Amino acid sequence: MQLLTPRQQHELGRISTELRRPARSKIFDQEAVADAIFIVERGVVKSFRDLPSGKRRVMAFLFPGDVFGLAEGGHYVNSTQAVTDSSICRIDRDALIETLRRDRELEVQFLCKVTHELRELQRQQIVVTRRDAPGRIAMFLRMLDQQRRRDGNAIDIPMSRSDIAQYLSLSPEAVSRATASLEHSGIVSFPSLHTANVLNRARFERLAAAV
Amino acid sequence: MQLLTPRQQHELGRISTELRRPARSKIFDQEAVADAIFIVERGVVKSFRDLPSGKRRVMAFLFPGDVFGLAEGGHYVNSTQAVTDSSICRIDRDALIETLRRDRELEVQFLCKVTHELRELQRQQIVVTRRDAPGRIAMFLRMLDQQRRRDGNAIDIPMSRSDIAQYLSLSPEAVSRATASLEHSGIVSFPSLHTANVLNRARFERLAAAV
DNA sequence: CGGGACATTGAAACGTCTCAAACGATGTGG
DNA sequence: CCACATCGTTTGAGACGTTTCAATGTCCCG
């Protein structure tokens, strides 16, 4: 999603500041006053919500080009945190609104971004409602694969197992058992916690598509 | 969500046509060419997706004021169908884009609508990931309650049990058992399939909030 | 290199899903 | 207007898979 023209990047550059955040550092908290929106430049960010029960739901993983900072009534609805060392473009809310007012094309881009997010969320809805943990993991890995291709069949997994669990709405144990299951089936291997190799692409796709 | 000014309603009126659809009639199919977007005027509409497995997921119930017709690559991503007899405002896609190009405020309204949908979808994400069926039903009833208040504690349930099941990602049997459970607990009564009465508001809210 | 958080593995419990059958509501044709 | 056929809903019993709790093993940061 690199939709911005050089001119637009320049326009945004004037009203934005670049933040550098190390892994695991917070960007903003849910409920906080929303005075800016953000764009991931480099790295991976997670957007999550703490529920009254104490559980935590990861609503989305954000990759370079993704916009975040959704507000409701002037306050952020989610907390966000860097998953890896990241560069983040922070855009002042008021200045952005002013700029959008002048740059029609830019506003259209934002509408597209939000619409895109909506579709992604609908996809995740499908994923989360699957019964079987291995299937959910397969769909998740496929998402990562499409997001950031590495060499050959290797998939980079920047987030932790518990992040994945909170994103897929599974217990950490279920994630562990599901990855073990995929490995025993010979569909995927996990050389490390942060790498996956698709060994049998056909079975992998079939499993991921079996919704 | 009645955000449109009289002038905007007039503008849209020029490029829109009003459809009347009886209950259970289709509005458009997923995959169809997306040449229009729609706004619910009266009645209830469901937006759903048929999955390869044959299962059906209801992505959203749409009430008066809600916009639908999300497209991707020029095709609709969901099918839509009237739940009750409905009046629907159909707006030609090309004409809308043209109008948005001239009416900045209207474009902002659309951005707001989409953002609102995004928040709603995040809420449903929370609902769907609950383990317990009675809790999910309680949250669903609360949503209906907030959406369309009737007299006193009565909640109008326009859709069928199986629609609810497909929306909450439960089996129809689970929905039935969950409503029976709520009734036995004395929290909610169901005088008919299309009405619910909250008998114990405190316990009801507590259950719905226990996410 | 040590400490603490994270990840895996095992065993039991819980709750939904599935299958099957009976019941009820809905809408159509006689 | 009623009878009937059809679909949707309810109820029951068993199987399946995740959750939970507990303990061990591993990774990673300071």
Side-chain angles (χ1 to χ4, degrees):
Chain A
M1 289 284 284
Q2 305 296 4
L3 294 170
L4 300 183
T5 66
R7 185 179 57 77
Q8 288 168 346
Q9 287 178 18
H10 175 72
E11 282 235 42
L12 287 181
R14 292 192 304 108
I15 60 173
S16 67
T17 58
E18 184 179 321
L19 307 177
R20 292 181 167 263
R21 294 283 175 217
R24 284 177 303 288
S25 62
K26 276 182 188 156
I27 299 167
F28 57 77
D29 276 319
Q30 63 194 96
E31 317 276 287
V33 173
D35 56 354
I37 73 135
F38 303 83
I39 302 177
V40 180
E41 298 280 323
R42 185 177 52 79
V44 181
V45 171
K46 68 175 170 181
S47 170
F48 60 94
R49 200 179 293 194
D50 287 311
L51 302 175
S53 63
K55 287 189 193 302
R56 175 171 288 184
R57 276 243 56 202
V58 171
M59 303 304 293
F61 291 109
L62 304 157
F63 299 92
D66 286 339
V67 177
F68 64 101
L70 180 66
E72 181 169 22
H75 296 260
Y76 293 120
V77 295
N78 297 324
S79 303
T80 50
Q81 187 178 331
V83 171
T84 66
D85 295 352
S86 305
S87 297
I88 294 147
C89 175
R90 179 192 187 283
I91 306 173
D92 184 77
R93 185 181 158 280
D94 295 333
L96 174 65
I97 290 175
E98 179 55 34
T99 303
L100 287 185
R101 200 174 297 283
R102 286 199 315 278
D103 188 337
R104 164 134 308 176
E105 281 306 316
L106 196 56
E107 186 173 7
V108 172
Q109 296 299 347
F110 267 87
L111 186 56
C112 287
K113 287 274 190 193
V114 175
T115 305
H116 179 256
E117 270 193 61
L118 198 62
R119 284 192 298 252
E120 285 303 313
L121 202 53
Q122 287 200 355
R123 288 216 179 77
Q124 205 217 337
Q125 198 94 299
I126 306 281
V127 175
V128 168
T129 54
R130 283 190 73 154
R131 280 315 136 194
D132 58 326
R136 271 189 266 189
I137 295 288
M139 291 186 87
F140 177 72
L141 290 175
R142 197 177 52 163
M143 182 204 82
L144 285 181
D145 193 30
Q146 289 162 358
Q147 188 63 243
R148 18 190 308 158
R149 240 316 167 359
R150 266 173 58 155
D151 45 0
N153 280 335
I155 301 173
D156 186 36
I157 307 175
M159 63 289 293
S160 70
R161 289 291 187 267
S162 37
D163 281 340
I164 298 175
Q166 288 163 3
Y167 180 67
L168 296 180
S169 197
L170 289 168
S171 64
E173 294 93 330
V175 171
S176 182
R177 280 185 254 266
T179 55
S181 156
L182 289 177
E183 204 148 26
H184 291 141
S185 315
I187 299 176
V188 182
S189 68
F190 294 88
S192 83
L193 280 175
H194 295 291
T195 320
N197 278 303
V198 177
L199 301 180
N200 189 329
R201 177 66 64 171
R203 290 182 63 192
F204 178 75
E205 290 296 337
R206 204 174 322 129
L207 176 59
V211 284
Chain B
M1 289 282 285
Q2 305 296 4
L3 295 169
L4 301 182
T5 66
R7 186 179 56 80
Q8 288 169 346
Q9 287 178 19
H10 175 72
E11 282 235 42
L12 287 181
R14 292 192 305 111
I15 59 173
S16 67
T17 57
E18 184 180 322
L19 307 177
R20 291 179 166 266
R21 293 285 174 215
R24 282 178 305 287
S25 60
K26 275 182 188 156
I27 298 166
F28 57 77
D29 276 320
Q30 64 192 91
E31 318 276 289
V33 173
D35 56 355
I37 73 133
F38 303 83
I39 302 177
V40 180
E41 298 281 322
R42 186 178 52 79
V44 181
V45 171
K46 67 176 171 182
S47 170
F48 60 94
R49 199 179 295 195
D50 287 312
L51 302 175
S53 63
K55 287 189 192 305
R56 175 172 287 184
R57 278 243 54 204
V58 171
M59 304 304 292
F61 290 109
L62 303 157
F63 299 91
D66 287 339
V67 177
F68 65 102
L70 179 67
E72 181 169 21
H75 296 260
Y76 293 120
V77 296
N78 297 326
S79 303
T80 50
Q81 188 177 332
V83 171
T84 66
D85 295 353
S86 305
S87 297
I88 294 147
C89 175
R90 179 190 188 283
I91 306 173
D92 184 76
R93 185 180 159 280
D94 296 332
L96 173 66
I97 289 174
E98 180 55 34
T99 303
L100 288 185
R101 200 174 297 283
R102 285 200 316 276
D103 187 336
R104 163 132 309 173
E105 282 306 314
L106 196 56
E107 186 173 7
V108 172
Q109 296 299 348
F110 266 88
L111 187 55
C112 287
K113 287 274 191 193
V114 175
T115 305
H116 180 256
E117 271 194 61
L118 199 60
R119 284 192 297 252
E120 284 304 312
L121 203 52
Q122 287 200 357
R123 288 216 180 77
Q124 205 216 339
Q125 197 95 298
I126 306 280
V127 175
V128 169
T129 55
R130 282 190 75 155
R131 279 318 134 193
D132 59 324
R136 270 188 266 189
I137 296 288
M139 292 185 87
F140 178 72
L141 290 176
R142 196 176 53 164
M143 182 204 82
L144 285 181
D145 193 29
Q146 289 162 357
Q147 187 65 241
R148 18 190 326 182
R149 240 316 166 358
R150 267 172 59 154
D151 45 359
N153 280 334
I155 300 173
D156 186 37
I157 307 174
M159 63 289 293
S160 71
R161 290 290 187 269
S162 36
D163 281 339
I164 298 175
Q166 288 163 2
Y167 181 67
L168 296 179
S169 197
L170 289 169
S171 64
E173 294 93 329
V175 171
S176 181
R177 281 186 254 265
T179 54
S181 157
L182 289 177
E183 205 148 25
H184 291 140
S185 315
I187 299 176
V188 182
S189 68
F190 295 88
S192 82
L193 280 175
H194 296 290
T195 320
N197 278 303
V198 177
L199 301 178
N200 189 329
R201 178 63 65 171
R203 291 181 62 193
F204 178 75
E205 290 297 336
R206 203 174 323 127
L207 177 59
V211 283

